[in-house]
């Protein structure tokens, strides 16, 4: 009696090996997509924080809203700044009929299709 593999056993072993290798290889594109998405989100947070620091360094009276598309290498992103007067009672008004001395600043950075976005919000007071 020989201790050898039959043709059926070899075919089954090759099939199981092929399924396992295919499953492992299918994970690589998903991993690359996740890394790319994380990189884009991290860059968006950086761009939002940079704008927020720029706003904080300006005087209270000069703070205003704007919308801009960024230059390369950040041309895939757009950044919008919303400025509203904040009432301590919880409401906010975009027109600022009465300036309470507190402005609510919201920086929205958008990118990609479908559009993804992050929002950063802070309050700034008169000094």
């Amino acid at each position: 009696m020989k201790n050898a593999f039959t043709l059926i056993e070899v075919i089954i072993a090759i099939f199981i090996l092929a399924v396992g290798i295919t499953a492992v290889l299918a994970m690589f594109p998903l991993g690359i997509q996740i890394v790319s998405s994380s990189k884009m989100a991290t860059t968006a947070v950086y761009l939002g924080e940079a704008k927020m620091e720029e706003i904080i360094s300006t005087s209270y009276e000069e703070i205003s809203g704007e919308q801009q598309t960024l230059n390369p290498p950040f041309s895939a992103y757009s950044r919008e700044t919303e400025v509203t007067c904040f009432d301590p009672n919880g409401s906010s008004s975009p027109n600022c009929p009465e300036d309470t001395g507190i402005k609510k600043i919201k920086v929205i950075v958008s990118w990609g299709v479908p559009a993804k976005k992050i929002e950063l919000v802070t309050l700034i007071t008169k000094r």
Side-chain angles (χ1 to χ4, degrees):
M1 182 167 175
K2 291 185 176 180
N3 290 334
F5 292 109
T6 64
L7 183 58
I8 299 290
E9 290 172 330
V10 171
I11 291 173
I12 291 173
I14 290 173
F15 175 75
I16 291 171
L17 188 61
V19 168
I21 290 173
T22 304
V24 169
L25 291 177
M27 287 188 261
F28 283 103
L30 179 61
I32 291 170
Q33 181 182 4
I34 290 171
V35 168
S36 175
S37 177
S38 295
K39 182 180 176 184
M40 296 288 283
T42 301
T43 303
V45 169
Y46 164 76
L47 292 170
E49 288 176 345
K51 185 61 178 179
M52 197 65 80
E53 289 296 325
E54 180 185 319
I55 291 170
I56 289 171
S57 68
T58 61
S59 69
Y60 180 84
E61 290 76 21
E62 293 176 1
I63 296 174
S64 63
E66 67 178 340
Q67 186 165 2
Q68 64 187 136
T69 302
L70 303 173
N71 296 326
F74 305 113
S75 55
Y77 299 89
S78 65
R79 185 168 58 189
E80 180 180 355
T81 305
E82 295 176 0
V83 179
T84 56
C85 288
F86 186 76
D87 181 7
N89 296 327
S91 64
S92 57
S93 169
N95 299 340
C96 296
E98 293 182 27
D99 190 356
T100 60
I102 303 172
K103 288 186 179 179
K104 179 179 176 183
I105 313 298
K106 182 191 289 187
V107 177
I108 304 164
V109 181
S110 306
W111 73 97
V113 175
K116 297 176 184 172
K117 67 179 180 176
I118 59 112
E119 295 181 3
L120 301 168
V121 180
T122 192
L123 297 175
I124 295 179
T125 61
K126 276 187 181 179
R127 295 180 200 157

